[in-house]
């Protein structure tokens, strides 16, 4: 579903993504972690063609993103749901209008749109807010609107950039369940987060850690750690550290 | 598909209400720029009509048949004074003409003798016809037609034998007219260009506030035409509304100042732009509004 090979990206002289190679299949769930400035957002932006690919190969949902332009970009984004780190919701429009946006863009008819929007809003606890303008919502509510807008189209690929950054732990755990549901229906999910706690709670998920644009850790064979020694070795080490595994043992039911 | 297009057009209209103040300011900007262009156009047209109008006098020498009934002739003389563009008339009855001729001859002979004494066969009655020199100061575009028209009128007066028209001396006016032909049309084109640039830029600026929305639409997979359509409709509407408003203001102003310059010696009536120029004043902002919106989406 997602294939990335020897991908590099630089802003001017500043190399932000360095020789990343990994691939994810249908129904895979990946936690993308790493310190601030590691390049998580940049990698995601490359995956939905918000940045032009420079070096390396990249394909998403069967679409080769090299040199992709115009209508093909729009077609790609119709298969990819994105939750933006900065939400990107329209403050003057209502919650309903914001969530409905991707459906309207696809030319769906209003009764259908309304049904889908209502269902997603209910799942995210936004049903009572549907008529309000988004500008007046709390940070957490706005974030949920951003998530709802990505969910509403049932995307094949779901890219979420810190989607629980503004939520209390309790709510973020509940939201995680929704993401997992998407995965269960066959969506490929990349979930960028700083939260070790979230990662610990989902030991079966794939985890990839970026630092300064390089993959320094990954827990499945489809990813290649760009270690100092070379790019050949596939890191098959268990997820996180030993004490991390203890955490998993404790938190899993 | 058609329903989607209809919805997008409707959205273009209703979106204007989302940022009422921005839209209002843009509308004011468009209106004022168009109004200024209209004012300039009015000044240009008034100037042109003034340059086009002939300045100067033309004179007609009119000869009646000798022995005409003078009461009839005097009546005609009186009527001349009521003709349009009448400037002045010098009239001679046959006797006056004879006296005038005599005094000239006498002067040229250096003597003071009476004509009757030198030419006793002339007797009491003058053999000369009644004559008049009538001048007009026309304000006309087509002077040649006007001159021949007046000439025909005078010729057909009862008792008139012949009319000699002196050609109108209006070289300055003619020259100005030629120049203004070269000036007016390029000026109009230039005006349309400035109007387009200013209106376009105003609307483009107002669209900066929409950059965020445009970005989001791109992110959720909207095709370009889907993004453009409401913006283009909105831009066209703003241009149209601004142009119409400006035209209304211009009309009001014109009603108030139409005769502000209409006194001697200017006698200039301020010209309101003709229909096709009024249309241009509305359509140029509308079209540039559309184009500017289109360009703004690209940027
Ligand atoms: N448009 C850009 N122009 C120049 N530099 C950029 C641009 N976008 C990102 N960068 C740089 O790239 C690096 C990686 O940024 P990125 O946003 O991908 O980090 P991140 O891992 O998402 O961080 P965070 O966890 O804080 O969101 C940073 O050093 C950032 O300054
Ligand atoms: Mg980021």
């Amino acid at each position: 579903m997602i294939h990335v090979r020897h991908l590099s990206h630089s802003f001017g002289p500043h190399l932000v993504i360095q020789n990343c190679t990994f691939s994810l299949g249908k129904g895979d769930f990946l936690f993308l972690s790493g310190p601030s400035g590691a390049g998580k957002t940049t990698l995601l932006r490359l995956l939905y063609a918000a940045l032009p690919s420079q070096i390396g190969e990249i394909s998403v949902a069967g679409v080769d993103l090299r040199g992709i332009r115009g209508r093909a970009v729009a077609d790609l984004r119709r298969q990819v749901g994105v939750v933006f780190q900065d939400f990107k919701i329209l403050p003057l429009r209502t919650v309903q209008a914001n969530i409905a946006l991707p459906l309207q863009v696809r030319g769906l008819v209003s009764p259908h749109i309304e049904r889908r929007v209502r269902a997603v809003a209910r799942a995210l606890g936004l049903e009572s807010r549907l008529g309000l303008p988004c500008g007046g919502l709390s940070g957490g509510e706005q974030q949920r609107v951003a998530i709802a807008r990505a969910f509403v189209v049932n995307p094949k690929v779901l890219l979420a950039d810190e989607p629980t950054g503004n939520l209390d732990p309790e709510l973020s755990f509940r939201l995680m369940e929704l993401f997992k549901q998407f995965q269960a229906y066959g969506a490929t999910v990349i979930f960028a987060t700083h939260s070790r706690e979230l990662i610990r709670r989902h030991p079966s998920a794939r985890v990839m850690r970026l630092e300064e644009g390089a993959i320094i850790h990954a827990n499945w064979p489809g990813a290649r750690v760009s270690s100092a020694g070379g790019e050949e070795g596939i890191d098959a080490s268990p997820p996180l550290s030993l004490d991390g595994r203890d955490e998993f043992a404790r938190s899993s039911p | 598909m058609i329903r989607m297009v209809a919805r997008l057009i409707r959205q273009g209209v209703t979106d204007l209400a989302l940022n009422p103040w921005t839209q209002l300011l843009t509308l004011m900007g468009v209106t004022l720029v168009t109004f200024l262009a209209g004012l300039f156009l009015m000044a240009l047209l008034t100037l042109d009509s003034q340059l086009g109008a002939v300045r100067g006098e033309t004179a007609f020498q009119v000869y009646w048949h000798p022995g005409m009934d003078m009461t009839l002739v005097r009546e005609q003389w009186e009527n001349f004074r009521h003709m349009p563009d009448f400037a002045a008339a010098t009239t001679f009855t046959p006797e006056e003409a004879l006296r005038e001729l005599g005094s000239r001859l006498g002067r040229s002979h250096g003597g003071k003798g009476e004509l009757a004494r030198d030419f006793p066969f002339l007797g009491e009655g003058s053999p000369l016809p009644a004559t008049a020199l009538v001048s007009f100061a026309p304000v006309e575009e087509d002077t040649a037609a006007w001159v021949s028209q007046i000439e025909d009128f005078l010729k057909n007066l009862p008792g008139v034998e012949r009319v000699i028209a002196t050609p109108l001396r209006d070289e300055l006016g003619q020259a100005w007219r030629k120049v203004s032909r070269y000036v007016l049309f390029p000026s109009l084109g230039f005006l349309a260009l400035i109007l387009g640039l200013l209106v376009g830029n105003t609307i483009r600026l107002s669209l900066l506030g929409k950059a965020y929305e445009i970005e989001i639409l791109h992110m959720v997979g909207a095709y370009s035409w889907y993004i453009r359509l409401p913006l283009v409709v909105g831009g066209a509407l703003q241009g149209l509304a601004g142009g119409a408003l400006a035209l209304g203001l211009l009309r009001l102003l014109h009603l108030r100042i139409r005769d502000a310059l209409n006194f001697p010696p200017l006698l200039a009536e301020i010209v309101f732009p003709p229909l096709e120029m009024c249309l241009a004043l509305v359509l140029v902002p509308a079209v540039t509004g559309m184009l500017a919106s289109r360009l703004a989406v690209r940027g």
Side-chain angles (χ1 to χ4, degrees), chain B residues 36-107:
Chain B
L36 275 181
L39 271 186
F40 189 65
L41 186 63
M42 235 156 70
L44 213 58
L45 289 173
T46 304
L47 191 67
D48 186 61
S49 83
Q50 286 307 302
L51 293 180
V54 171
R55 287 266 169 261
E57 294 193 352
T58 186
F60 297 86
Q61 186 85 48
V62 189
Y63 299 88
W64 278 261
H65 291 290
M68 272 294 297
D69 178 5
M70 277 315 290
T71 48
L72 189 67
V73 174
R74 277 182 209 281
E75 207 170 280
Q76 288 173 353
W77 287 351
E78 191 48 41
N79 285 342
F80 287 156
R81 298 178 190 279
H82 303 299
M83 282 175 67
D85 305 324
F86 170 84
T90 320
T91 54
F92 300 92
T93 59
E95 288 72 29
E96 282 166 343
L98 189 62
R99 213 174 304 135
E100 180 75 10
L101 185 63
S103 72
R104 287 197 187 173
L105 284 175
R107 229 177 282 137

Side-chain angles (χ1 to χ4, degrees), chain A residues 11 14 16 34-42 45 85 161-162 194:
Chain A
F11 294 108
H14 187 31
V16 175
S36 181
K40 302 183 293 295
T41 299
T42 305
R45 291 182 70 199
Q85 192 168 14
D161 199 349
E162 299 267 2
H194 288 291

Side-chain angles (χ1 to χ4, degrees), chain A residues 72-134:
Chain A
V73 174
D75 284 330
L76 169 78
R77 288 180 183 156
R78 287 173 180 220
Q79 318 219 38
V80 180
V82 185
V83 182
F84 300 91
Q85 192 168 14
D86 54 355
F87 310 158
K88 294 205 193 301
I89 53 180
L90 294 165
L92 292 177
R93 298 195 195 249
T94 60
V95 171
Q96 154 87 32
N98 268 283
I99 300 177
L101 206 60
L103 298 176
Q104 285 179 341
V105 160
R106 285 162 175 74
L108 294 177
V109 292
S110 352
H112 190 62
I113 292 179
E114 232 154 81
R115 232 181 7 256
R116 296 265 293 267
V117 170
R118 198 160 282 282
V120 172
R122 192 179 308 124
L124 287 162
L126 287 170
E127 217 182 1
S128 61
R129 302 281 188 276
L130 278 175
L132 301 178
C134 282

Side-chain angles (χ1 to χ4, degrees), chain A residues 48 50 71 74-75 77-78 84 88-90 92-93 101 104-107 109 149, chain B residues 3-4 7 11 15 18-19 212-213 215-223 225-226:
Chain A
Y48 57 86
R71 200 177 174 93
D75 284 330
R77 288 180 183 156
R78 287 173 180 220
F84 300 91
K88 294 205 193 301
I89 53 180
L90 294 165
L92 292 177
R93 298 195 195 249
L101 206 60
Q104 285 179 341
V105 160
R106 285 162 175 74
V109 292
R149 192 183 57 197
Chain B
R3 200 159 32 192
M4 186 145 109
R7 189 174 62 73
Q11 188 190 332
D15 273 3
L18 272 183
N19 294 302
Y212 189 54
E213 178 169 354
E215 184 197 343
I216 291 174
L217 282 169
H218 275 302
M219 289 303 160
V220 299
Y223 294 135
W225 68 265
Y226 182 97

Side-chain angles (χ1 to χ4, degrees), chain A residues 173-209:
Chain A
F173 297 144
R174 269 202 289 150
L175 274 180
M176 261 312 290
E177 292 316 311
L178 290 174
F179 279 93
K180 297 290 270 187
Q181 273 178 31
F182 264 90
Q183 179 206 4
Y185 282 115
T188 305
V189 182
I190 299 186
F191 191 110
T193 182
H194 288 291
S195 165
R196 288 194 157 238
E197 180 60 22
L198 266 183
I199 299 173
R200 274 192 204 108
R201 282 180 172 236
H202 299 275
S204 61
R206 302 194 190 296
V207 178
M208 185 165 90
R209 187 169 172 83

